[in-house]
Amino acid sequence: EVEKFELKLKRRRIVGSSECAVETLQILRHVVSRGKFKSAANLIRGIKIIGRRLSAANRTQLTIGNAVRRVLHLIRQVCAEEKQDKGSKEGPVDVDLSRSLVKIMDNAHQSVDLSMEVSLDLRQLIIEEISELVEDIKRVYTHVKAYSVEHIHAKDVILTVGMSTTVMHFLSEAAKLEREFEVIVAESAPAYDGHQMAKKLAKKNIETTLITDSAVFAMMGVVNKVIIGSHLVLANGGLISRSGCHMVAAAAQHHSVPVVCVTGLYKLCPLYGFDQDSFNDFKYPGEILKFQEKFAEKVNVQNPGHDYIPPELVSLLITNFGGNSPSYIYRLLTEYYDVEDYDL
């Protein structure tokens, strides 16, 4: 199972963020149910080894590492709750393993005993938690689009870039409420998947205008808000998004237009990026310049797949659990991951 998935990642047969995360969780669920581990510490060690292998197979798909870190956090949580239950006569107890300044000052941060045996009951609890996580990722569009009511109003002019399934669901949900708003879609060259986005929105009876990427700055003066998707949300609140989004965010800041990012929490990553080369993926240069052209061999063609958008250009992040400011990301990280797993 692990070898097959590793090969698919290396050959880029699986490329979507959610597909990679779900497949990783399903493999880890299989490892927990079938693997032979003497203790919880051994189980964590085994999952970390698999996580390193899968992350190395495709370094641009960081949702794989996020899924592994989330599972490691769940294992520690389940182990802590099991130990607490055994020592408590009052029944099940919820354990909060997140770090906070209050806990540090009170010296009350709980360390988890990982020497406990991986019993059948413990495996079952971990498997249930992983299954719940898989369902959360599969339902992410349903959860995110529920917040569109609060953020899209009548007569709004919204600008978006290229094709994003999350953004499309978000806008479509607002259209069901019979609110009249207009969407401007930048075509996102060289893939031009903005054309596909414009067609899908038009089918939902949303007034849609398709523009070239070079017209974004000119059109920004009439826009009320920019709504984009993301490939990744970094620890400093910055985004890794499709190529061209940094230009849109900079134009929005110049015109004092808020930039809203709609994304799932499974894309939240505890790593930092400070430049355009961090976590970038360079695509096939033939999309920009065909190799048949005479001068192609003398030209160095770069086709970056992503842009890094610093947190100061982002106004709001809307996840499947509500809206947050980029400065609040550090708190979400402590709730979803353990510090010792940041570096797999």
Side-chain angles (χ1 to χ4, degrees):
E1 287 278 332
V2 176
E3 282 83 2
K4 281 181 186 175
F5 183 47
E6 198 176 1
L7 201 62
K8 281 181 183 176
L9 287 169
K10 283 179 179 175
R11 292 178 177 176
R12 300 293 199 270
R13 288 199 183 157
I14 298 179
V15 289
S17 299
S18 58
E19 289 89 341
C20 287
V22 167
E23 193 85 25
T24 304
L25 289 169
Q26 286 170 345
I27 283 170
L28 295 180
R29 184 169 59 188
H30 183 76
V31 168
V32 171
S33 63
R34 299 290 174 86
K36 294 178 181 177
F37 302 101
K38 289 182 181 178
S39 66
N42 284 351
L43 174 60
I44 283 175
R45 205 172 296 122
I47 283 176
K48 273 193 172 184
I49 290 165
I50 291 167
R52 278 190 214 110
R53 278 180 62 185
L54 296 178
S55 297
N58 188 344
R59 294 194 179 277
T60 58
Q61 287 295 347
L62 293 173
T63 48
I64 295 167
N66 295 348
V68 174
R69 290 182 190 97
R70 191 81 183 99
V71 169
L72 293 170
H73 176 75
L74 289 173
I75 292 169
R76 289 192 183 92
Q77 189 89 26
V78 169
C79 288
E81 283 174 9
E82 276 292 286
K83 192 184 175 187
Q84 201 89 343
D85 291 351
K86 285 176 184 175
S88 172
K89 295 173 185 176
E90 297 172 3
V93 179
D94 281 335
V95 180
D96 181 18
L97 292 177
S98 63
R99 293 171 187 265
S100 69
L101 187 59
V102 175
K103 288 183 182 178
I104 292 166
M105 297 300 284
D106 294 346
N107 203 17
H109 183 70
Q110 296 165 301
S111 58
V112 185
D113 179 23
L114 297 173
S115 59
M116 66 192 301
E117 188 189 349
V118 183
S119 63
L120 195 65
D121 289 344
L122 192 70
R123 282 178 197 265
Q124 193 57 43
L125 285 168
I126 294 167
I127 287 165
E128 282 172 15
E129 291 282 358
I130 295 172
S131 300
E132 200 176 311
L133 207 54
V134 170
E135 285 305 308
D136 270 351
I137 293 173
K138 287 181 177 176
R139 291 196 303 260
V140 73
Y141 300 134
T142 313
H143 291 208
V144 168
K145 70 184 184 182
Y147 297 102
S148 64
V149 187
E150 301 166 22
H151 298 281
I152 296 175
H153 309 106
K155 306 295 180 187
D156 268 357
V157 179
I158 296 159
L159 187 136
T160 188
V161 184
M163 177 67 208
S164 167
T165 313
T166 317
V167 174
M168 192 197 70
H169 278 89
F170 191 78
L171 296 171
S172 302
E173 185 66 17
K176 287 178 186 175
L177 301 168
E178 296 182 359
R179 289 183 183 174
E180 287 186 14
F181 60 92
E182 186 185 343
V183 179
I184 299 170
V185 184
E187 62 183 0
S188 188
Y192 298 107
D193 53 1
H195 296 209
Q196 186 188 349
M197 180 75 161
K199 283 178 187 173
K200 288 189 175 183
L201 291 173
K203 281 179 184 174
K204 304 278 184 185
N205 296 322
I206 298 170
E207 192 180 334
T208 311
T209 308
L210 184 69
I211 61 168
T212 58
D213 296 336
S214 56
V216 165
F217 191 86
M219 294 297 287
M220 196 60 77
V222 298
V223 171
N224 296 112
K225 57 176 71 81
V226 173
I227 299 179
I228 55 171
S230 79
H231 177 66
L232 212 65
V233 180
L234 299 172
N236 61 345
L239 306 175
I240 300 291
S241 195
R242 64 166 56 244
S243 187
C245 280
H246 183 269
M247 171 196 71
V248 173
Q253 189 191 44
H254 181 82
H255 286 86
S256 301
V257 174
V259 175
V260 178
C261 172
V262 287
T263 187
L265 264 181
Y266 67 93
K267 293 181 181 179
L268 180 62
C269 181
L271 305 176
Y272 288 87
F274 297 103
D275 53 36
Q276 295 299 337
D277 295 328
S278 298
F279 317 120
N280 213 333
D281 186 19
F282 285 87
K283 295 184 175 179
Y284 171 57
E287 288 181 355
I288 297 172
L289 187 68
K290 297 287 182 286
F291 285 113
Q292 289 87 345
E293 296 188 33
K294 292 178 183 178
F295 56 86
E297 58 187 34
K298 297 174 185 175
V299 180
N300 180 21
V301 180
Q302 293 195 342
N303 183 12
H306 302 108
D307 265 355
Y308 167 66
I309 304 173
E312 53 268 22
L313 297 183
V314 184
S315 310
L316 185 71
L317 291 166
I318 299 172
T319 67
N320 37 324
F321 292 106
N324 292 298
S325 163
S327 59
Y328 188 74
I329 291 298
Y330 80 96
R331 191 78 196 112
L332 293 174
L333 286 172
T334 60
E335 288 175 23
Y336 280 83
Y337 306 121
D338 290 315
V339 177
E340 49 265 50
D341 301 327
Y342 283 5
D343 186 13
L344 285 174

